[in-house]
Amino acid sequence: MVTRKQVLILLLFVLFIAEGTILPLLIPEAWQMRISANLVYIVILFFAVYHHRHTALVLGILFGLLHDVVFYGEMIGPYGFSMGLSAYMIGLIFQAPRAPLPIMVTVVFLGSLLNDTVLFFLYKLFRLNHVTFDWALFEYMIPNLFIHFVFTLIIYVPLRKQLEQITKRQKKPQEAS
């Protein structure tokens, strides 16, 4: 029997594949270098808020390393580190089992900015990035926020319901003990 958790992990893999195949077809060619929407990270932020921050940390590290290997081959580890760290930090700050839409939009904005900022400074530290932070903010961080906002609006209700079901099922056996 397939559990809801397995279906959500499968959803993460499908979104990961869609990021590399379908999303480039939907984004106009002039914006291809500016927008690199990280849809998997948005779902991981939902895990951090509705489920548990440790789950989000592990998923962030795993899918971040997958991003490093498949999409960004300059270094192995920056995406894993930044996605795991930022998802954990967001889960630490916003642990709410019934977070409304405005809170989740705020979570996605802050989490995306934190993730992109950590990545920017990691690449700056290892001298792979030769641009200023304000240029990066306006050229790719803010356009990515718009894509993340739209994606959050699309997945908010179905994903929240699924994560609430997982949380309810996990609490029932613990309460019986």
Side-chain angles (χ1 to χ4, degrees):
M1 183 171 133
V2 177
T3 65
R4 288 183 193 269
K5 262 189 190 178
Q6 292 169 336
V7 170
L8 288 174
I9 300 297
L10 184 63
L11 169 70
L12 288 171
F13 277 110
V14 168
L15 284 174
F16 179 77
I17 292 169
E19 283 178 18
T21 56
I22 297 170
L23 208 58
L25 299 174
L26 299 176
I27 296 173
E29 211 169 301
W31 290 13
Q32 290 284 331
M33 296 305 290
R34 293 179 74 183
I35 295 178
S36 61
N38 196 343
L39 306 180
V40 172
Y41 180 66
I42 303 306
V43 176
I44 291 172
L45 288 176
F46 273 81
F47 269 93
V49 172
Y50 287 111
H51 188 58
H52 202 272
R53 66 182 178 266
H54 294 116
T55 305
L57 171 69
V58 171
L59 289 173
I61 291 171
L62 292 176
F63 280 95
L65 287 174
L66 201 56
H67 267 85
D68 284 329
V69 170
V70 173
F71 296 124
Y72 313 103
E74 295 172 353
M75 284 189 331
I76 303 296
Y79 266 83
F81 175 75
S82 69
M83 284 175 67
L85 175 71
S86 58
Y88 183 82
M89 297 291 288
I90 291 296
L92 190 64
I93 296 169
F94 291 101
Q95 188 68 32
R98 301 215 23 109
L101 181 62
I103 299 293
M104 277 313 296
V105 168
T106 304
V107 163
V108 168
F109 278 171
L110 292 176
S112 295
L113 280 175
L114 180 62
N115 184 37
D116 287 340
T117 302
V118 168
L119 279 172
F120 175 82
F121 285 112
L122 277 174
Y123 284 141
K124 194 75 157 174
L125 176 69
F126 291 104
R127 298 179 188 210
L128 294 172
N129 188 355
H130 303 290
V131 298
T132 62
F133 182 76
D134 57 341
W135 183 89
L137 182 69
F138 289 112
E139 282 297 313
Y140 67 87
M141 289 183 194
I142 291 177
N144 281 340
L145 282 178
F146 176 73
I147 301 296
H148 291 171
F149 172 72
V150 171
F151 185 67
T152 301
L153 292 178
I154 293 169
I155 67 166
Y156 173 73
V157 172
L159 190 57
R160 185 194 73 194
K161 287 182 181 180
Q162 294 301 315
L163 289 170
E164 285 176 353
Q165 290 293 328
I166 290 173
T167 306
K168 283 181 188 176
R169 286 187 178 170
Q170 284 184 344
K171 287 184 179 179
K172 282 182 183 177
Q174 290 175 356
E175 290 173 358
S177 300

